Amino acid sequence: MKRILLIEDEMPIARLVQVYLERAGYEVKWNEGDHEAIPTFFSWKPDLVLLDLMLPNHDGLDILDQIRQYGSCPVIIITARGTVPDKLQGLAQGADDYIAKPFDPEEVLARVQAVLRRSSYLSEADTIRLGTLSIDVSAQNALIGKAPLSLMPRDWQLLVFLARHPNQCFSRDQLLDQVWGMDFEGGDRSVDTAVKRLRKSLLPWPTSEGEISTIRGMGYSLRVY
């Protein structure tokens, strides 16, 4: 049974979401966003976090930062701050998806299932080796030589997808579909930003072995030489 930590201060919303998720077979623990949110995350070790940004005692983005310092547990932001800049900020800081209030609980359930499916896909037990770049998918870590890469969850997902399809070109829409999910509401800028971050992380990787190339008018490709 997958565990979901719900960090939300509005009881009616929290109870409604909890009921829908539990009916779908998930184990849900609710926290109002108080000082116990992060200790609960560390001790309970959820498979996914639903995180409100507008909490009475904490900024949800600060909680997201602390979660990201721990690892790559999927995080879906749920909040009334639904403007495009708010969404981009949350996604840039490592959120896996963003749901604006008011929402249909069926939508929350669908997005939870989609993010968990992508997370499960990335945890398949295999290792991808591209020259000195080694990607251990099951352990969710990557090395260039012996040096580990520090990647945000979305950048990690993008790297794994591109590495599984070397020398193939993907449009921004295809990458949004395959890595972000079809229900992602952001735009092309999210792909460009993730590619930019990933390129920076891959700077120690010799260009004689490979690189992320921009194919003008088409998209991106992980070229392996």
Side-chain angles (χ1 to χ4, degrees), residues 22-42:
E22 288 179 344
R23 284 178 178 173
Y26 297 105
E27 183 179 356
V28 181
K29 183 167 287 190
W30 173 45
N31 180 275
E32 295 180 271
D34 59 19
H35 64 282
E36 291 296 324
I38 289 300
T40 299
F41 172 80
F42 285 124

PDB file of all heavy atoms in Angstrom, residues 22-42:
ATOM      1  N   GLU A  22      -7.988   7.231   0.177  1.00  0.00           N
ATOM      2  CA  GLU A  22      -8.114   5.976   0.921  1.00  0.00           C
ATOM      3  C   GLU A  22      -9.061   5.010   0.213  1.00  0.00           C
ATOM      4  O   GLU A  22      -8.827   3.789   0.230  1.00  0.00           O
ATOM      5  CB  GLU A  22      -8.589   6.268   2.344  1.00  0.00           C
ATOM      6  CG  GLU A  22      -7.505   6.924   3.195  1.00  0.00           C
ATOM      7  CD  GLU A  22      -7.956   7.253   4.608  1.00  0.00           C
ATOM      8  OE1 GLU A  22      -9.196   7.262   4.852  1.00  0.00           O
ATOM      9  OE2 GLU A  22      -7.096   7.504   5.466  1.00  0.00           O
ATOM     10  N   ARG A  23     -10.097   5.527  -0.415  1.00  0.00           N
ATOM     11  CA  ARG A  23     -10.995   4.666  -1.184  1.00  0.00           C
ATOM     12  C   ARG A  23     -10.261   4.017  -2.352  1.00  0.00           C
ATOM     13  O   ARG A  23     -10.619   2.913  -2.796  1.00  0.00           O
ATOM     14  CB  ARG A  23     -12.183   5.465  -1.707  1.00  0.00           C
ATOM     15  CG  ARG A  23     -13.235   5.782  -0.649  1.00  0.00           C
ATOM     16  CD  ARG A  23     -14.344   6.620  -1.253  1.00  0.00           C
ATOM     17  NE  ARG A  23     -15.405   6.924  -0.285  1.00  0.00           N
ATOM     18  CZ  ARG A  23     -16.415   7.739  -0.515  1.00  0.00           C
ATOM     19  NH1 ARG A  23     -16.503   8.362  -1.700  1.00  0.00           N
ATOM     20  NH2 ARG A  23     -17.323   7.961   0.400  1.00  0.00           N
ATOM     21  N   ALA A  24      -9.229   4.698  -2.862  1.00  0.00           N
ATOM     22  CA  ALA A  24      -8.446   4.171  -3.986  1.00  0.00           C
ATOM     23  C   ALA A  24      -7.352   3.216  -3.520  1.00  0.00           C
ATOM     24  O   ALA A  24      -6.613   2.686  -4.350  1.00  0.00           O
ATOM     25  CB  ALA A  24      -7.832   5.318  -4.776  1.00  0.00           C
ATOM     26  N   GLY A  25      -7.256   3.015  -2.200  1.00  0.00           N
ATOM     27  CA  GLY A  25      -6.311   2.031  -1.691  1.00  0.00           C
ATOM     28  C   GLY A  25      -5.014   2.595  -1.141  1.00  0.00           C
ATOM     29  O   GLY A  25      -4.092   1.831  -0.838  1.00  0.00           O
ATOM     30  N   TYR A  26      -4.925   3.915  -0.987  1.00  0.00           N
ATOM     31  CA  TYR A  26      -3.710   4.518  -0.448  1.00  0.00           C
ATOM     32  C   TYR A  26      -3.820   4.695   1.065  1.00  0.00           C
ATOM     33  O   TYR A  26      -4.911   4.876   1.607  1.00  0.00           O
ATOM     34  CB  TYR A  26      -3.448   5.884  -1.092  1.00  0.00           C
ATOM     35  CG  TYR A  26      -3.198   5.813  -2.578  1.00  0.00           C
ATOM     36  CD1 TYR A  26      -4.186   6.206  -3.487  1.00  0.00           C
ATOM     37  CD2 TYR A  26      -1.990   5.358  -3.092  1.00  0.00           C
ATOM     38  CE1 TYR A  26      -3.975   6.144  -4.856  1.00  0.00           C
ATOM     39  CE2 TYR A  26      -1.769   5.293  -4.462  1.00  0.00           C
ATOM     40  CZ  TYR A  26      -2.766   5.685  -5.332  1.00  0.00           C
ATOM     41  OH  TYR A  26      -2.541   5.613  -6.687  1.00  0.00           O
ATOM     42  N   GLU A  27      -2.670   4.648   1.722  1.00  0.00           N
ATOM     43  CA  GLU A  27      -2.616   4.970   3.145  1.00  0.00           C
ATOM     44  C   GLU A  27      -2.247   6.444   3.268  1.00  0.00           C
ATOM     45  O   GLU A  27      -1.226   6.876   2.729  1.00  0.00           O
ATOM     46  CB  GLU A  27      -1.570   4.101   3.850  1.00  0.00           C
ATOM     47  CG  GLU A  27      -1.499   4.335   5.350  1.00  0.00           C
ATOM     48  CD  GLU A  27      -0.472   3.445   6.036  1.00  0.00           C
ATOM     49  OE1 GLU A  27       0.138   2.592   5.357  1.00  0.00           O
ATOM     50  OE2 GLU A  27      -0.273   3.621   7.263  1.00  0.00           O
ATOM     51  N   VAL A  28      -3.083   7.205   3.959  1.00  0.00           N
ATOM     52  CA  VAL A  28      -2.911   8.660   4.002  1.00  0.00           C
ATOM     53  C   VAL A  28      -2.698   9.128   5.438  1.00  0.00           C
ATOM     54  O   VAL A  28      -3.411   8.707   6.356  1.00  0.00           O
ATOM     55  CB  VAL A  28      -4.144   9.388   3.410  1.00  0.00           C
ATOM     56  CG1 VAL A  28      -3.939  10.904   3.442  1.00  0.00           C
ATOM     57  CG2 VAL A  28      -4.407   8.913   1.984  1.00  0.00           C
ATOM     58  N   LYS A  29      -1.706   9.988   5.614  1.00  0.00           N
ATOM     59  CA  LYS A  29      -1.499  10.645   6.902  1.00  0.00           C
ATOM     60  C   LYS A  29      -1.603  12.149   6.677  1.00  0.00           C
ATOM     61  O   LYS A  29      -0.986  12.695   5.763  1.00  0.00           O
ATOM     62  CB  LYS A  29      -0.135  10.279   7.485  1.00  0.00           C
ATOM     63  CG  LYS A  29       0.118  10.887   8.863  1.00  0.00           C
ATOM     64  CD  LYS A  29       1.337  10.264   9.540  1.00  0.00           C
ATOM     65  CE  LYS A  29       1.024   8.850  10.013  1.00  0.00           C
ATOM     66  NZ  LYS A  29       2.098   8.302  10.878  1.00  0.00           N
ATOM     67  N   TRP A  30      -2.410  12.803   7.519  1.00  0.00           N
ATOM     68  CA  TRP A  30      -2.671  14.228   7.353  1.00  0.00           C
ATOM     69  C   TRP A  30      -1.902  15.040   8.387  1.00  0.00           C
ATOM     70  O   TRP A  30      -1.878  14.704   9.572  1.00  0.00           O
ATOM     71  CB  TRP A  30      -4.163  14.508   7.477  1.00  0.00           C
ATOM     72  CG  TRP A  30      -4.533  15.966   7.494  1.00  0.00           C
ATOM     73  CD1 TRP A  30      -4.057  16.934   6.672  1.00  0.00           C
ATOM     74  CD2 TRP A  30      -5.439  16.608   8.389  1.00  0.00           C
ATOM     75  NE1 TRP A  30      -4.614  18.155   6.976  1.00  0.00           N
ATOM     76  CE2 TRP A  30      -5.473  17.975   8.018  1.00  0.00           C
ATOM     77  CE3 TRP A  30      -6.231  16.166   9.444  1.00  0.00           C
ATOM     78  CZ2 TRP A  30      -6.265  18.902   8.699  1.00  0.00           C
ATOM     79  CZ3 TRP A  30      -7.025  17.085  10.110  1.00  0.00           C
ATOM     80  CH2 TRP A  30      -7.033  18.447   9.738  1.00  0.00           C
ATOM     81  N   ASN A  31      -1.278  16.129   7.914  1.00  0.00           N
ATOM     82  CA  ASN A  31      -0.611  17.078   8.793  1.00  0.00           C
ATOM     83  C   ASN A  31      -1.063  18.480   8.410  1.00  0.00           C
ATOM     84  O   ASN A  31      -1.205  18.791   7.225  1.00  0.00           O
ATOM     85  CB  ASN A  31       0.911  16.954   8.662  1.00  0.00           C
ATOM     86  CG  ASN A  31       1.642  17.939   9.563  1.00  0.00           C
ATOM     87  OD1 ASN A  31       1.850  19.085   9.178  1.00  0.00           O
ATOM     88  ND2 ASN A  31       2.029  17.508  10.740  1.00  0.00           N
ATOM     89  N   GLU A  32      -1.311  19.337   9.402  1.00  0.00           N
ATOM     90  CA  GLU A  32      -1.832  20.679   9.146  1.00  0.00           C
ATOM     91  C   GLU A  32      -0.757  21.674   8.723  1.00  0.00           C
ATOM     92  O   GLU A  32      -1.058  22.842   8.521  1.00  0.00           O
ATOM     93  CB  GLU A  32      -2.553  21.208  10.383  1.00  0.00           C
ATOM     94  CG  GLU A  32      -3.787  20.419  10.750  1.00  0.00           C
ATOM     95  CD  GLU A  32      -4.472  20.978  11.976  1.00  0.00           C
ATOM     96  OE1 GLU A  32      -4.128  20.565  13.092  1.00  0.00           O
ATOM     97  OE2 GLU A  32      -5.355  21.844  11.803  1.00  0.00           O
ATOM     98  N   GLY A  33       0.472  21.203   8.578  1.00  0.00           N
ATOM     99  CA  GLY A  33       1.544  22.115   8.198  1.00  0.00           C
ATOM    100  C   GLY A  33       2.221  22.750   9.384  1.00  0.00           C
ATOM    101  O   GLY A  33       2.848  23.807   9.268  1.00  0.00           O
ATOM    102  N   ASP A  34       2.126  22.095  10.552  1.00  0.00           N
ATOM    103  CA  ASP A  34       2.772  22.627  11.751  1.00  0.00           C
ATOM    104  C   ASP A  34       4.222  22.148  11.821  1.00  0.00           C
ATOM    105  O   ASP A  34       4.779  21.639  10.842  1.00  0.00           O
ATOM    106  CB  ASP A  34       1.992  22.225  13.013  1.00  0.00           C
ATOM    107  CG  ASP A  34       1.879  20.704  13.155  1.00  0.00           C
ATOM    108  OD1 ASP A  34       2.661  19.966  12.521  1.00  0.00           O
ATOM    109  OD2 ASP A  34       0.991  20.255  13.901  1.00  0.00           O
ATOM    110  N   HIS A  35       4.845  22.297  12.987  1.00  0.00           N
ATOM    111  CA  HIS A  35       6.263  21.958  13.137  1.00  0.00           C
ATOM    112  C   HIS A  35       6.521  20.457  13.035  1.00  0.00           C
ATOM    113  O   HIS A  35       7.678  20.035  12.939  1.00  0.00           O
ATOM    114  CB  HIS A  35       6.777  22.471  14.488  1.00  0.00           C
ATOM    115  CG  HIS A  35       6.113  21.828  15.673  1.00  0.00           C
ATOM    116  ND1 HIS A  35       4.850  22.201  16.093  1.00  0.00           N
ATOM    117  CD2 HIS A  35       6.517  20.829  16.495  1.00  0.00           C
ATOM    118  CE1 HIS A  35       4.510  21.471  17.140  1.00  0.00           C
ATOM    119  NE2 HIS A  35       5.492  20.631  17.406  1.00  0.00           N
ATOM    120  N   GLU A  36       5.467  19.638  13.015  1.00  0.00           N
ATOM    121  CA  GLU A  36       5.647  18.191  12.914  1.00  0.00           C
ATOM    122  C   GLU A  36       5.675  17.679  11.473  1.00  0.00           C
ATOM    123  O   GLU A  36       5.879  16.495  11.244  1.00  0.00           O
ATOM    124  CB  GLU A  36       4.526  17.465  13.684  1.00  0.00           C
ATOM    125  CG  GLU A  36       4.588  17.625  15.183  1.00  0.00           C
ATOM    126  CD  GLU A  36       5.847  16.996  15.771  1.00  0.00           C
ATOM    127  OE1 GLU A  36       6.273  15.942  15.250  1.00  0.00           O
ATOM    128  OE2 GLU A  36       6.410  17.581  16.712  1.00  0.00           O
ATOM    129  N   ALA A  37       5.476  18.568  10.512  1.00  0.00           N
ATOM    130  CA  ALA A  37       5.380  18.126   9.115  1.00  0.00           C
ATOM    131  C   ALA A  37       6.649  17.416   8.659  1.00  0.00           C
ATOM    132  O   ALA A  37       6.599  16.294   8.129  1.00  0.00           O
ATOM    133  CB  ALA A  37       5.077  19.316   8.205  1.00  0.00           C
ATOM    134  N   ILE A  38       7.801  18.045   8.845  1.00  0.00           N
ATOM    135  CA  ILE A  38       9.055  17.440   8.390  1.00  0.00           C
ATOM    136  C   ILE A  38       9.450  16.228   9.244  1.00  0.00           C
ATOM    137  O   ILE A  38       9.848  15.190   8.686  1.00  0.00           O
ATOM    138  CB  ILE A  38      10.179  18.491   8.356  1.00  0.00           C
ATOM    139  CG1 ILE A  38       9.937  19.471   7.201  1.00  0.00           C
ATOM    140  CG2 ILE A  38      11.538  17.823   8.176  1.00  0.00           C
ATOM    141  CD1 ILE A  38       9.895  18.828   5.832  1.00  0.00           C
ATOM    142  N   PRO A  39       9.333  16.287  10.593  1.00  0.00           N
ATOM    143  CA  PRO A  39       9.606  15.058  11.364  1.00  0.00           C
ATOM    144  C   PRO A  39       8.721  13.894  10.936  1.00  0.00           C
ATOM    145  O   PRO A  39       9.181  12.746  10.882  1.00  0.00           O
ATOM    146  CB  PRO A  39       9.307  15.486  12.810  1.00  0.00           C
ATOM    147  CG  PRO A  39       9.589  16.949  12.828  1.00  0.00           C
ATOM    148  CD  PRO A  39       9.141  17.452  11.487  1.00  0.00           C
ATOM    149  N   THR A  40       7.449  14.167  10.607  1.00  0.00           N
ATOM    150  CA  THR A  40       6.558  13.105  10.133  1.00  0.00           C
ATOM    151  C   THR A  40       7.051  12.555   8.804  1.00  0.00           C
ATOM    152  O   THR A  40       7.039  11.341   8.574  1.00  0.00           O
ATOM    153  CB  THR A  40       5.118  13.630   9.978  1.00  0.00           C
ATOM    154  OG1 THR A  40       4.639  14.084  11.239  1.00  0.00           O
ATOM    155  CG2 THR A  40       4.194  12.534   9.455  1.00  0.00           C
ATOM    156  N   PHE A  41       7.495  13.446   7.923  1.00  0.00           N
ATOM    157  CA  PHE A  41       8.022  12.996   6.625  1.00  0.00           C
ATOM    158  C   PHE A  41       9.207  12.061   6.827  1.00  0.00           C
ATOM    159  O   PHE A  41       9.282  10.994   6.208  1.00  0.00           O
ATOM    160  CB  PHE A  41       8.438  14.210   5.785  1.00  0.00           C
ATOM    161  CG  PHE A  41       9.170  13.838   4.531  1.00  0.00           C
ATOM    162  CD1 PHE A  41       8.475  13.417   3.400  1.00  0.00           C
ATOM    163  CD2 PHE A  41      10.554  13.888   4.477  1.00  0.00           C
ATOM    164  CE1 PHE A  41       9.151  13.056   2.240  1.00  0.00           C
ATOM    165  CE2 PHE A  41      11.240  13.544   3.319  1.00  0.00           C
ATOM    166  CZ  PHE A  41      10.527  13.122   2.204  1.00  0.00           C
ATOM    167  N   PHE A  42      10.141  12.434   7.679  1.00  0.00           N
ATOM    168  CA  PHE A  42      11.341  11.621   7.893  1.00  0.00           C
ATOM    169  C   PHE A  42      11.019  10.287   8.557  1.00  0.00           C
ATOM    170  O   PHE A  42      11.593   9.249   8.214  1.00  0.00           O
ATOM    171  CB  PHE A  42      12.364  12.385   8.736  1.00  0.00           C
ATOM    172  CG  PHE A  42      13.073  13.469   7.975  1.00  0.00           C
ATOM    173  CD1 PHE A  42      13.055  14.778   8.424  1.00  0.00           C
ATOM    174  CD2 PHE A  42      13.763  13.198   6.809  1.00  0.00           C
ATOM    175  CE1 PHE A  42      13.700  15.784   7.724  1.00  0.00           C
ATOM    176  CE2 PHE A  42      14.415  14.190   6.103  1.00  0.00           C
ATOM    177  CZ  PHE A  42      14.387  15.492   6.566  1.00  0.00           C
TER     178      PHE A  42
END
